[in-house]
Amino acid sequence: MKFYPYKRLNRPITLRVTSVSLKLPGGARDHLDTTAYSTPQRTVALGVAQHDDWVSARIDLSATLPPGATDPDAPWGDLRVLAVLTDGDTNVRTTVDLRQDAPGSKEWSGAIEVLRDDHVGRADLAVYAVATIDGVPGRAITETDADWTVDMTAEEPLGGLRLDVRQASFAKSAREWLRPFADAPWAVNASGRLPLVMINTDVEGFSDLLGGESGGIENKVHELLVSQMATDVWTAVFHSAVGDLEVEPDGSPVFPTDWRGEVLREMLPDVVPGLRVEEALRQVHRRRTGDSGWVELQTRVHYAAVRRSGASKALANVLRALQQMNREDSA
C-alpha cells in the first residue's frame, strides 16, 4: 500500500478505447473495427488488419474520473488528465493530455499516437489525473487500477470472457436448475460472480470432443462447438448485464462495476453502433424497459455475440477441412 502526504481520491479512473486506426505508407488510414480491442482483456491488437508496414496507430480514448474529481470545492486545482504509453523494451514513454468533454464533466477524451518504429512488442497504457495541491503541481490524485496492453503484432485481443466452466450429469446433478435441461449439451448461468458454463456429461462423446486434441476434422469441429458455446455465453451475459441495471434519480442507467460492466462496454459498440457507450447503454435501457424496440435489437445482440465468439472463423475452418477431405477422397 502506498501512502501520500496529501489528499487523493480512493477510486480509480475507468479507461476505455473507443476506436483504433492505422496510418499506412502514403498517408492512407485503415479504421479498424471493434474486434481490434477488448475491454475485458484491456488489450489492443494492432495486427488484426494484418498490415506489416503500418507507420503509426491512433488510439482514441475515453476516461471517466471518479466522483469528487471535478468538484468545485475539491482540495486541488489545475486538474489534468494524462494518457501515458510506456514501452519497457524500447524505453519509450509517450504522454498526451485528454480533454474534458464539458465543464464540470467526469468524462475526458482524446487520442494517443503510437509510432511503429518506437515499439517492438507490447506497451502499457494508463491514465493519470494530476493536479496542484498545496502549491505543488503534478501530484497524482488517482489513476487507472490496471493498465491496458497495446500489442504491435497480435491479431486477436480477445482472450475470452472469464468463465467458470464445469462438467456434470444434468439428469443427476445436485443443481436442481440443471435437471430440466437434461437433453441440452450445455447450459449457461449468468447470475453469479462469474458466468457459469455447465457441460452435460450425459451427451455421449461430447466432453471428449471438447477436451480432445486429436487434430484433423475433429479439431475443427471442436473449434466450431466452442465458438457456438461462446456465442450462447456472450448472449446470456449481455442479457444478464442489461437486465439488472442500477438507475440514477434521473432515470439514467449506471454501468455495473463487475464483469457485467465489462461485457456491456465490450458489446455495446456493435449492438448500438455509432454512439458513445454511455448513450448506447441509455438507448438499450430505454428499449428494454419501454414499449418498443427491444425485440428488433436482438439481431444486433446476436451479431455482437457471434463476432466475439469467433464463429465465422471456426465455420470457415470446418468448411475448408471438409473440402480438403472431399478432394482427397475423389483423388
Side-chain angles (χ1 to χ4, degrees):
M1 177 180 294
K2 294 181 179 180
F3 295 92
Y4 298 85
Y6 55 88
K7 186 173 179 59
R8 280 172 45 95
L9 294 165
N10 57 13
R11 294 178 61 182
I13 298 171
T14 300
L15 171 62
R16 298 173 297 281
V17 171
T18 57
S19 67
V20 180
S21 64
L22 298 179
K23 183 179 180 180
L24 306 178
R29 278 206 173 268
D30 185 0
H31 294 273
L32 307 184
D33 62 28
T34 57
T35 59
Y37 51 92
S38 167
T39 300
Q41 300 304 120
R42 294 188 175 94
T43 301
V44 179
L46 296 179
V48 68
Q50 298 183 339
H51 293 297
D52 295 328
D53 57 349
W54 59 274
V55 178
S56 64
R58 176 189 169 96
I59 302 175
D60 292 298
L61 308 172
S62 177
T64 303
L65 271 58
T70 58
D71 288 354
D73 57 351
W76 47 71
D78 304 322
L79 179 64
R80 298 172 64 193
V81 179
L82 307 174
V84 181
L85 184 72
T86 305
D87 191 325
D89 293 329
T90 60
N91 202 29
V92 170
R93 183 182 178 94
T94 305
T95 302
V96 297
D97 278 276
L98 302 184
R99 303 177 305 276
Q100 193 172 20
D101 290 356
S105 173
K106 295 183 294 184
E107 304 295 328
W108 297 61
S109 59
I112 193 164
E113 199 79 11
V114 181
L115 300 179
R116 184 66 182 92
D117 289 343
D118 288 345
H119 305 279
V120 294
R122 293 183 170 188
D124 297 322
L125 178 63
V127 171
Y128 299 85
V130 300
T132 299
I133 304 176
D134 298 331
V136 180
R139 283 183 158 173
I141 60 171
T142 186
E143 56 277 319
T144 44
D145 60 350
D147 292 350
W148 276 64
T149 297
V150 179
D151 195 309
M152 308 302 152
T153 59
E155 299 179 8
E156 177 60 67
L158 303 178
L161 183 67
R162 288 182 299 156
L163 303 172
D164 184 5
V165 181
R166 304 185 186 185
Q167 298 189 20
S169 166
F170 284 17
K172 303 175 183 177
S173 176
R175 295 180 172 88
E176 293 186 4
W177 67 271
L178 283 176
R179 295 174 190 169
F181 311 120
D183 58 346
W186 63 79
V188 181
N189 185 336
S191 62
R193 184 180 60 85
L194 287 178
L196 171 65
V197 181
M198 296 297 303
I199 306 299
N200 191 357
T201 58
D202 296 332
V203 179
E204 186 176 356
F206 183 56
S207 295
D208 293 336
L209 182 59
L210 286 179
E213 294 292 340
S214 57
I217 188 63
E218 290 84 0
N219 189 50
K220 305 304 180 186
V221 173
H222 162 93
E223 293 177 6
L224 186 61
L225 284 171
V226 169
S227 71
Q228 180 58 58
M229 289 174 57
T231 299
D232 289 352
V233 170
W234 278 107
T235 302
V237 296
F238 180 85
H239 283 284
S240 175
V242 299
D244 191 25
L245 291 171
E246 293 185 11
V247 179
E248 294 181 342
D250 64 357
S252 299
V254 179
F255 272 99
T257 57
D258 58 3
W259 60 264
R260 293 171 179 83
E262 295 180 345
V263 164
L264 291 174
R265 295 186 189 280
E266 179 76 33
M267 295 183 69
L268 282 171
D270 281 328
V271 175
V272 189
L275 298 179
R276 292 175 58 90
V277 289
E278 291 79 9
E279 178 54 36
L281 181 61
R282 285 192 287 269
Q283 185 173 134
V284 168
H285 181 67
R286 285 195 299 268
R287 292 194 185 191
R288 192 186 69 82
T289 58
D291 296 329
S292 63
W294 179 237
V295 173
E296 291 78 5
L297 202 63
Q298 299 312 299
T299 301
R300 298 234 38 120
V301 173
H302 183 260
Y303 169 70
V306 166
R307 294 194 70 185
R308 276 141 192 85
S309 70
S312 297
K313 180 179 178 182
L315 178 59
N317 289 339
V318 169
L319 293 176
R320 280 195 294 268
L322 290 173
Q323 291 169 355
Q324 179 65 28
M325 290 177 61
N326 290 335
R327 285 193 295 268
E328 292 174 353
D329 291 341
S330 61

